[in-house]
């Protein structure tokens, strides 16, 4: 019997950050992205994306490379939008199985101990 074992390098996710108290002048993801790239030197060449924007709650979620995150961290976790300075907060992605309540996998994963139960 020949067993094929294959190791797969886990895919690393780019950090996601929350920007809160965004002024109502920014009414689209594109406006926020343009202003981020224009006003913040650490993001000029980075692949930054506005993943989510909630106009009512006045917050947005951005995704950026780890290198850009480190530059922002050195600046005290602040960015500029328009004439305002905004604090950034890390968004953590925690996966939890709803079958066994363990962290690190989903219910349909091969790692769930209660999958067959």
């Amino acid at each position: 019997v020949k067993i094929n074992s294959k190791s797969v390098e886990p895919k690393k996710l780019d950090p996601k950050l929350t920007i809160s108290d965004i002024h109502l002048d920014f009414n689209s993801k594109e406006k926020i992205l343009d202003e981020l790239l224009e006003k913040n030197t650490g993001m000029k060449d980075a692949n930054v994306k506005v993943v989510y924007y909630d106009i009512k709650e006045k917050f947005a979620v951005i995704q950026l490379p780890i290198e850009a995150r480190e530059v922002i961290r050195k600046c005290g976790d602040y960015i500029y939008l328009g004439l305002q300075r905004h604090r950034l907060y890390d968004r953590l992605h925690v996966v939890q199985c709803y079958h066994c309540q363990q962290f690190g996998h989903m219910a349909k994963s091969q790692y769930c101990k209660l999958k067959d139960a």
Side-chain angles (χ1 to χ4, degrees), residues 54-103:
D54 189 339
I55 295 174
K56 284 170 118 178
E57 298 295 323
K58 300 193 287 188
F59 80 94
V61 178
I62 61 171
Q63 185 174 13
L64 64 163
I66 294 171
E67 298 82 22
R69 175 64 182 112
E70 290 303 319
V71 170
I72 292 170
R73 183 170 284 135
K74 288 177 184 173
C75 295
D77 285 337
Y78 287 98
I79 52 105
Y80 295 94
L81 276 178
L83 299 175
Q84 294 181 329
R85 186 172 103 158
H86 297 271
R87 179 135 172 86
L88 292 177
Y89 300 96
D90 288 306
R91 289 185 70 92
L92 302 175
H93 179 74
V94 179
V95 176
Q96 183 177 15
C97 176
Y98 67 85
H99 280 290
C100 67
Q101 303 304 313
Q102 297 274 326
F103 292 101

Side-chain angles (χ1 to χ4, degrees), residues 7-22:
S7 72
V8 178
E9 187 70 29
K11 186 175 96 173
K12 293 187 179 187
L13 300 174
D14 285 336
K16 289 183 182 170
L17 304 169
T18 301
I19 307 169
S20 57
D21 297 327
I22 296 175

Side-chain angles (χ1 to χ4, degrees), residues 17-60:
L17 304 169
T18 301
I19 307 169
S20 57
D21 297 327
I22 296 175
H23 195 272
L24 295 176
D25 289 345
F26 299 102
N27 54 10
S28 70
K29 291 180 181 181
E30 292 78 23
K31 278 191 174 183
I32 293 172
L33 183 60
D34 291 342
E35 193 71 18
L36 278 172
L37 296 175
E38 181 184 331
K39 300 278 184 178
N40 301 283
T41 56
M43 296 186 188
K44 290 226 186 283
D45 298 325
N47 183 20
V48 180
K49 295 180 228 171
V50 178
V51 180
Y52 180 75
Y53 179 45
D54 189 339
I55 295 174
K56 284 170 118 178
E57 298 295 323
K58 300 193 287 188
F59 80 94

Side-chain angles (χ1 to χ4, degrees), residues 95-117:
V95 176
Q96 183 177 15
C97 176
Y98 67 85
H99 280 290
C100 67
Q101 303 304 313
Q102 297 274 326
F103 292 101
H105 68 273
M106 301 291 279
K108 294 183 179 181
S109 169
Q110 65 184 2
Y111 303 108
C112 184
K113 296 173 185 164
L114 298 177
K115 182 178 176 183
D116 300 325

